[in-house]
Amino acid sequence: MSDLPFGFSMPNDPDDESGRRPGGSGSGGAGSGRPGGGDSGTPDGFPFGDPQQMANMLRQFADMMSAQPAPGGDRPASASGINWGMAKDIARQVVAQKGDPSVPPADYAKVQEALRLGDLWLDQSTALPSGIQSIQAWSRSEWIEKTMDSWSQLCDPLTSKTVKSMGQSLPEEMRSMAGPLLGMIQQMGGMMVGQQAGQAVGELSQEVVGTADIGLPLAGEGNAALLPLGVERFSEGLEIPDDEVRLYLAAREAAVHRLYAHVPWLRSHVFRLVAEYADGMSFDVSGLEDRLGEIDLTDPEALQEVLGGAGGGQGLFQPEDTPQQKAALNRLETTLALIEGWVAVVVSGAVDGRLPQANALAEATRRRRATGGPAEHTFAALVGLELRPRRLREASALWAALEEARGIDGRDAVWQHPDLMPTGEDLDDPAAFVSGGAFTDTDFDISALTDEAPGVAKDEGEKDPKKDEPGEDS
């Protein structure tokens, strides 16, 4: 993992340039304002300095919060304390500062035509029927408006765990005394995460090409859209006709919608894996008391710097890797790689012989992933996840091998149930999965993907005895 959720950094960060006091700060040195620090008026056992100083700080913090603008109107904060209405407004401000013209009618028509044609081509390369219900062309502001609900769903499990850990991770003897300060930390942390999320989504809107850049239809299943400005930016330097680039990206957009429309367990599965990753988060609080001693209690902005690890320093609550977190991360990476790999193989089959520069476009897409495309960077910032291009290539190889061995219907039948999906180990040895998978000697009815969908969607962990063939564990 190269990135961490907003406002946090790994413990023992070697690039700490915060300029905070070494050694004596928070360690009982003179003038620290903590027990043993030479402040005669500080009660024994009070970990946060002079109570009067703390009271003054809380009043200043209340004044600061009341003076904050209230973007997002009266939209309430989520369960995690994040005001996603505020985040949406900040994202739109980022876009407005850089210019965001509305989509001209001619460009709108070109996008609609490309999505219809790309979706039609997919009929020959996948057994899954069309999943598109609406076709649109969006400005960047419209993309933000339509996708922010999905971003909040992805982020809330992580931010909720972070806020909750702020209180639960404290030693028992500190909790009763830390109440007012922790409430302030939680409120400020929620505000900071909302601001950073809005900034990140606003920046992301400058580079995305559609609704499915991260392998998840962010505007909901069936709502296909391309951003003409994003398509134009993708085309830069390729020396490929614009119409050809648009058709290729439209086919990718349509492929993702087919997959999610007819694999009803997939969306909830991805969100569940993100939640499992959040559940595995743990925080290093071994130096919490010392770090609190570094806070200038008369300066709320200094508190925000300590919380967020500004200037390359460490945040107040340091996420640690845990076995549960690592396992969930591996499952999430594998699932996203399988989605991307399937899309690559299906689109390749659909455009082969139709787009002269199909190979160059496929390579441009792979290169975009390998060098850290917008989806990859944003996911890394939001959930601490970095997709590995090696996994994507191996996933593509596995789907191609399945198609060669079992045909298009046999390849796509693997999506019937999460228990039948390849694992990370299968990506390392695709030949073994192809030769020993669940569907080797059985004919499958692809209509089961929709006919059985309600039962699968309600509880993806409950196996259907009619389909419970020996297979791989998810």
Side-chain angles (χ1 to χ4, degrees), residues 108-458:
Y108 203 106
K110 290 177 181 178
V111 167
Q112 287 185 313
E113 180 183 2
L115 284 168
R116 290 194 186 100
L117 185 55
D119 193 39
L120 180 64
W121 289 350
L122 291 171
D123 288 340
Q124 300 179 18
S125 63
T126 175
L128 303 181
S130 175
I132 292 180
Q133 300 174 15
S134 67
I135 294 175
Q136 301 177 61
W138 289 342
S139 67
R140 288 160 174 164
S141 294
E142 288 174 314
W143 180 87
I144 290 170
E145 189 73 29
K146 302 291 187 180
T147 65
M148 188 60 78
D149 285 346
S150 291
W151 288 118
S152 66
Q153 283 183 274
L154 284 170
C155 298
D156 262 352
L158 298 148
T159 53
S160 295
K161 180 59 180 271
T162 301
V163 171
K164 187 176 181 181
S165 295
M166 290 180 179
Q168 292 185 342
S169 299
L170 281 176
E172 184 66 33
E173 61 274 13
M174 294 177 63
R175 291 182 189 176
S176 59
M177 294 180 288
L181 181 59
L182 284 178
M184 180 183 66
I185 290 173
Q186 291 170 3
Q187 187 176 2
M188 181 174 285
M191 182 180 67
M192 286 167 32
V193 173
Q195 290 173 339
Q196 294 181 52
Q199 182 73 29
V201 173
E203 294 292 341
L204 177 65
S205 71
Q206 306 297 307
E207 301 181 0
V208 293
V209 299
T211 74
D213 288 56
I214 65 171
L216 177 74
L218 292 170
E221 287 81 358
N223 299 317
L226 292 181
L227 283 69
L229 289 178
V231 174
E232 180 181 341
R233 180 163 181 169
F234 182 92
S235 303
E236 292 176 359
L238 294 182
E239 298 182 357
I240 298 175
D242 292 344
D243 288 347
E244 195 169 340
V245 175
R246 189 184 304 109
L247 274 167
Y248 183 83
L249 296 176
R252 285 182 55 85
E253 174 84 4
V256 173
H257 282 281
R258 284 192 181 223
L259 186 61
Y260 278 86
H262 301 290
V263 183
W265 57 263
L266 185 56
R267 186 179 183 89
S268 61
H269 183 70
V270 171
F271 281 101
R272 184 174 292 111
L273 290 175
V274 174
E276 288 178 4
Y277 174 79
D279 287 341
M281 291 176 68
S282 179
F283 295 88
D284 176 19
V285 295
S286 59
L288 178 59
E289 188 174 347
D290 287 343
R291 298 300 308 284
L292 289 173
E294 298 173 11
I295 300 174
D296 180 355
L297 299 182
T298 64
D299 184 359
E301 292 183 1
L303 174 60
Q304 182 169 340
E305 179 181 345
V306 174
L307 284 172
Q314 299 177 16
L316 189 58
F317 293 87
Q318 307 304 318
E320 294 181 308
D321 286 337
T322 65
Q324 179 185 354
Q325 185 185 36
K326 289 179 179 179
L329 180 63
N330 181 65
R331 291 193 294 272
L332 181 56
E333 280 186 331
T334 299
T335 297
L336 294 173
L338 289 169
I339 293 169
E340 173 67 21
W342 183 87
V343 169
V345 169
V346 167
V347 170
S348 177
V351 303
D352 184 37
R354 294 186 169 103
L355 297 181
Q357 300 294 326
N359 290 336
L361 287 164
E363 179 58 30
T365 303
R366 284 192 292 266
R367 186 168 61 248
R368 191 171 184 242
R369 290 291 202 186
T371 57
E376 199 171 328
H377 281 309
T378 298
F379 231 75
L382 294 176
V383 302
L385 171 69
E386 181 177 348
L387 293 175
R388 292 171 290 175
R390 181 180 65 87
R391 296 279 88 183
L392 299 179
R393 289 195 296 270
E394 292 179 356
S396 297
L398 185 146
W399 290 120
L402 277 172
E403 180 179 339
E404 183 177 356
R406 307 177 192 174
I408 290 174
D409 287 3
R411 179 201 66 199
D412 292 349
V414 176
W415 290 102
Q416 283 189 6
H417 194 279
D419 286 350
L420 303 176
M421 293 296 294
T423 65
E425 290 74 15
D426 294 323
L427 295 184
D428 295 327
D429 189 5
F433 179 81
V434 172
S435 62
F439 304 128
T440 304
D441 301 316
T442 309
D443 292 329
F444 289 89
D445 180 6
I446 299 300
S447 66
L449 288 169
T450 53
D451 295 343
E452 300 293 336
V456 175
K458 288 181 181 178

Side-chain angles (χ1 to χ4, degrees), residues 6-39:
F6 289 124
F8 299 93
S9 58
M10 289 301 293
N12 303 319
D13 190 339
D15 298 322
D16 187 354
E17 299 176 356
S18 61
R20 300 189 182 103
R21 299 186 298 266
S25 194
S27 60
S32 66
R34 300 178 61 250
D39 290 346

